Amino acid sequence: MRHLVEENPVHLLGRFAVRRRRLVLIVAALVAVAAAVVGSGALSALSLSRFEAPGTESLRAAEVLAEEFGTGNPNLTLLVTARGGDVDDPRTAERARALAAELGPDVRQVESYWDRRSPALRSEDGGQALILARVPGSATEARAAIAGLSERFTRADDVIEVGVGGQDEVFRQVGAQAARDFLRAEMIVVPVVLLLLVLLYRRVSLALTTLGIGLFAMVGTLAALRGLTRFTEVSTFAANITLVMGLALGVDYCLFVIARYREELAGGATVPAAVERAVATAGRTVLFSGLTVAASLAMLVLFPFPFLRSFAYAGVLVVGLSVLGALTILPAALACLKPHPAAERATGFWARTANAVMNRPLLVGGAVLALLLLLAAPVLGLRFGLPDDRILPPDASSRVVQEEIRAGFGQEQTDAIRVIAKDVRGDDDYAARLGDVPGIVQVDVTTNGYGTTWSAIPSQEALSGDVPELVERVRALEPDYLVGGYPAELADFRDALTDRVPLVVGLILAVTFVLLFLMTGSVLLPVKATALNLLSLAVMFGVVVWGFQEGNLAPLLGFTPTGAVEPSIPILMFCIAYGLSMDYEVFMVSRIAEEHARTGDDRAAVTAGIQRSAPLITAAAAILALSFAAYTTGRVMYLQMLGAGLAVAIVVDATFVRAVLVPALMRLAGRANWWAPAWLRKVHVRFGLSEGR
């Protein structure tokens, strides 16, 4: 039936790449070099972000504080430790005042314990005190300035010792550490992936070509991201997802096209014909797969945060360039390389496994399902929380400072909840009620021509508990007053994030269902794929809760568990993992559907389809899981969580799900696998696509 593969745009693209192979390779090389030059400046053009939700009450409060009161959340903290004696010692006070004066010209506002003796700025034992400052500007501007201030003010003499912390210093160090971790991981992953490809292909030329497609996707995406910065804010972390997924998807897509190309060679086709047929068949599946992954990641643009939107930009770009490379550059290269056909086997380990499962689908499938549900069970205890310095390694300087503040101070003024009332003078009754809110230990009042602002300082115990609930209690006192401050910003960020989750998840499920229907013409197969992918994701989140929230992986990976998970990371993991799981579903189901169209035999189609696709899925999953697992060697806890969780999801999906649950469910469904209502069959006839017709 191979000679009956129909002409289609993808087939024509493969034919063009073969016939104009030298032109395609020259243009690709020039584009890659230009992209590398442009992309080399991408990191300096990308931006840092804060936990701010546009349009929220806390952000409006921040604007009023800046415009009407000339103040805002302190983002830089100097922890001053008296070397012998007390912070009220005259020599210590003199040095500390000089320190605050030295800091003054570089910041917008400075608040020192030695100015007004606020109890919130003095440690309980009297040995330490704080100087707070606000460095103005965007997150990128402020953290760039703080980098210099941190180096300059981290000091010690015979009277005082000074450490630098604060919100922006913590997250500046998170970004710097994450960048180092990503670079180190890539230095590990690239040579290991090349070695695995050589072992898989047994040809250095094919391994280098595959790796080259991944690098092409990376540099092209970095260059495009730099161009996007002219129109919108793009987070620096978009570069990280580019490095992870560029290599992984480039390898994935090339594996499937090359495998089909070698099958065609083994069947007696000439090199040009084998390349064209590989692109016309496997290439269409690659295109569909790319659409599913891109659709999942594109939904991140629906969140109102530059941080998550940046992952959408990077994800769609890197998927698109990986597909483009696999459908144009790869065919041109294959047409130039010496042919190396692979021996084609009708039966093998995967066929025997599929047959064994289909002989006892309820027993084997039920046992595996029970195992996966057991692994997923901890997800029921998933608890969302707010990030702090503990995502850094214990020896990070800003974390050391924050740990000392947490241990030595009963409250922390940098985390004050700021309440604003226009045209209100004083209101002692409100100040008293605010002070009575459980968890609030001190209330400071400022009045000017605009109105009044109250600074409600929480206890350390309250800050380690349910911060959003504390913010809601304050807001409930006077609904007409604006409530802001860092705790309110984090609470609003979490609420705005979780409010969009149902919409994003629903759209991802709907779009991928439509794409799978167009590929298979079946209603049941997309439903089954969705259920199995959600099962893989449940296992992933079970590992996240068990390993990171509860801390069971802490001794192995060296992080500090906080008892909660910052919500944006699981959302990102969901979009990536769901897209990649659907990626493997597309490859496997396309081969099963092709065999079913050819033979009409349900069981034989499943056996042959799994035998042809499972080895490639396993190889691709191993490389992809390795790429993500390399990030567990990092020192930022959320980066370790991302790497470990995605690696687990990919391994579970490529083994238990694809090798056991897919054949078990397809055996149980029988002919219903391919059922669709008459009107939907007409839609598929008109618009559907598949690997082979």
Side-chain angles (χ1 to χ4, degrees):
M1 295 291 290
R2 284 179 182 144
H3 63 284
L4 295 179
V5 173
E6 68 173 20
E7 297 279 338
N8 60 74
V10 179
H11 192 170
L12 296 176
L13 183 62
R15 178 174 298 170
F16 173 81
V18 170
R19 294 182 179 180
R20 298 289 186 270
R21 50 188 175 273
R22 290 183 178 83
L23 175 62
V24 170
L25 293 176
I26 291 171
V27 171
L30 293 175
V31 170
V33 170
V37 172
V38 175
S40 63
L43 291 180
S44 61
L46 302 181
S47 305
L48 297 170
S49 301
R50 293 190 176 108
F51 292 94
E52 297 173 340
T56 55
E57 180 180 343
S58 59
L59 200 56
R60 295 197 305 275
E63 293 169 354
V64 172
L65 284 171
E67 294 171 4
E68 305 297 340
F69 292 87
T71 186
N73 298 334
N75 55 3
L76 179 67
T77 301
L78 300 187
L79 174 65
V80 180
T81 303
R83 306 193 92 179
D86 187 273
V87 293
D88 294 315
D89 180 84
R91 292 183 69 209
T92 300
E94 180 184 359
R95 293 286 176 90
R97 290 192 182 99
L99 184 71
E102 183 184 349
L103 185 64
D106 297 300
V107 299
R108 187 65 58 81
Q109 66 189 58
V110 177
E111 184 178 2
S112 165
Y113 163 72
W114 294 272
D115 291 338
R116 56 188 182 88
R117 307 286 175 166
S118 169
L121 298 178
R122 184 179 185 271
S123 66
E124 294 176 338
D125 66 3
Q128 295 176 309
L130 302 177
I131 299 174
L132 307 180
R134 182 168 67 94
V135 181
S138 66
T140 303
E141 295 165 342
R143 291 173 195 175
I146 286 173
L149 293 172
S150 178
E151 182 178 357
R152 180 174 149 203
F153 284 92
T154 301
R155 62 175 71 166
D157 58 28
D158 60 331
V159 178
I160 61 173
E161 181 178 347
V162 184
V164 181
Q167 173 195 345
D168 273 346
E169 171 64 355
V170 167
F171 288 103
R172 180 190 72 81
Q173 292 193 358
V174 169
Q177 183 64 55
R180 291 192 293 271
D181 291 346
F182 268 102
L183 180 60
R184 182 176 62 252
E186 288 298 309
M187 292 177 67
I188 296 170
V189 167
V190 171
V192 172
V193 167
L194 180 59
L195 176 61
L196 290 175
L197 289 172
V198 171
L199 294 175
L200 179 66
Y201 291 139
R202 301 188 183 276
R203 295 292 182 274
V204 174
S205 58
L206 290 178
L208 289 173
T209 300
T210 299
L211 191 63
I213 300 300
L215 296 175
F216 172 82
M218 286 185 201
V219 298
T221 300
L222 289 176
L225 289 175
R226 185 178 182 185
L228 271 178
T229 59
R230 295 179 177 273
F231 308 100
T232 187
E233 182 179 341
V234 182
S235 169
T236 55
F237 285 93
N240 299 333
I241 202 70
T242 296
L243 298 178
V244 173
M245 297 197 69
L247 181 63
L249 291 176
V251 168
D252 263 13
Y253 296 153
C254 288
L255 274 174
F256 286 96
V257 174
I258 289 173
R260 193 59 182 253
Y261 159 72
R262 297 176 90 178
E263 283 183 25
E264 297 293 342
L265 286 178
T270 63
V271 169
V275 174
E276 288 183 29
R277 292 172 186 168
V279 175
T281 53
R284 298 177 80 178
T285 305
V286 165
L287 181 60
F288 253 98
S289 173
L291 287 172
T292 59
V293 179
S296 294
L297 291 170
M299 296 307 165
L300 289 169
V301 79
L302 297 175
F303 289 104
F305 312 111
F307 173 69
L308 286 175
R309 286 181 171 179
S310 298
F311 286 119
Y313 307 147
V316 171
L317 285 168
V318 79
V319 170
L321 288 170
S322 297
V323 171
L324 179 65
L327 299 186
T328 57
I329 303 172
L330 177 62
L334 291 176
C336 294
L337 295 175
K338 181 180 178 182
H340 298 287
E344 189 173 356
R345 299 196 309 171
T347 61
F349 169 78
W350 295 104
R352 291 193 298 272
T353 300
N355 276 317
V357 170
M358 288 189 288
N359 286 337
R360 296 178 178 83
L362 284 175
L363 177 64
V364 179
V368 168
L369 179 61
L371 173 63
L372 295 185
L373 290 175
L374 179 64
L375 294 175
V379 75
L380 298 175
L382 179 63
R383 178 174 178 265
F384 290 129
L386 304 173
D388 59 30
D389 56 280
R390 287 172 290 179
I391 63 178
L392 282 168
D395 58 352
S397 62
S398 62
R399 175 172 173 179
V400 171
V401 168
Q402 297 302 133
E403 292 276 20
E404 290 189 34
I405 293 173
R406 229 183 338 264
F409 291 71
Q411 60 271 357
E412 189 175 348
Q413 193 149 327
T414 55
D415 287 327
I417 298 174
R418 312 294 291 272
V419 184
I420 308 163
K422 186 177 182 181
D423 298 328
V424 173
R425 301 290 177 265
D427 193 349
D428 293 336
D429 176 64
Y430 179 76
R433 287 187 290 133
L434 186 56
D436 289 338
V437 172
I440 300 298
V441 296
Q442 181 177 324
V443 177
D444 298 326
V445 184
T446 302
T447 300
N448 66 7
Y450 177 85
T452 300
T453 176
W454 294 266
S455 181
I457 302 172
S459 65
Q460 292 286 1
E461 183 180 358
L463 290 173
S464 63
D466 193 337
V467 175
E469 182 180 352
L470 175 63
V471 173
E472 284 305 309
R473 286 177 179 173
V474 172
R475 284 177 169 161
L477 293 178
E478 287 289 348
D480 293 333
Y481 290 1
L482 274 179
V483 176
Y486 187 51
E489 289 174 2
L490 290 177
D492 287 347
F493 174 83
R494 191 191 74 168
D495 291 344
L497 199 64
T498 53
D499 285 348
R500 291 289 180 95
V501 168
L503 172 64
V504 171
V505 171
L507 285 174
I508 289 175
L509 298 182
V511 169
T512 51
F513 179 92
V514 170
L515 288 172
L516 274 179
F517 169 76
L518 292 176
M519 189 186 75
T520 63
S522 164
V523 170
L524 182 62
L525 289 180
V527 172
K528 172 191 66 67
T530 299
L532 293 181
N533 289 350
L534 292 177
L535 179 61
S536 296
L537 266 60
V539 174
M540 175 182 73
F541 288 127
V543 170
V544 165
V545 172
W546 177 84
F548 291 89
Q549 179 178 304
E550 298 175 1
N552 289 291
L553 290 177
L556 176 65
L557 299 180
F559 62 87
T560 302
T562 62
V565 178
E566 194 274 303
S568 65
I569 302 300
I571 291 170
L572 176 63
M573 293 172 69
F574 175 88
C575 293
I576 294 175
Y578 190 85
L580 294 175
S581 295
M582 196 61 77
D583 190 23
Y584 297 143
E585 180 74 15
V586 167
F587 283 119
M588 178 168 284
V589 170
S590 67
R591 293 310 297 261
I592 294 174
E594 181 182 355
E595 292 297 324
H596 184 268
R598 185 174 66 85
T599 65
D601 186 323
D602 293 324
R603 178 163 181 155
V606 172
T607 302
I610 288 178
Q611 176 57 38
R612 291 178 182 276
S613 61
L616 298 175
I617 290 174
T618 304
I623 293 171
L624 193 56
L626 173 69
S627 299
F628 283 118
Y631 295 98
T632 61
T633 63
R635 305 192 71 202
V636 175
M637 188 260 280
Y638 285 142
L639 183 59
Q640 294 174 312
M641 181 191 299
L642 185 75
L646 290 172
V648 167
I650 290 164
V651 170
V652 166
D653 190 80
T655 53
F656 292 111
V657 171
R658 302 297 151 211
V660 178
L661 294 182
V662 167
L665 289 176
M666 294 198 75
R667 175 61 175 168
L668 291 171
R671 293 193 177 187
N673 283 311
W674 314 103
W675 176 85
W679 67 274
L680 278 180
R681 285 200 298 271
K682 293 178 181 178
V683 172
H684 183 258
V685 170
R686 176 67 180 85
F687 300 105
L689 295 171
S690 60
E691 217 179 74
R693 291 260 186 177

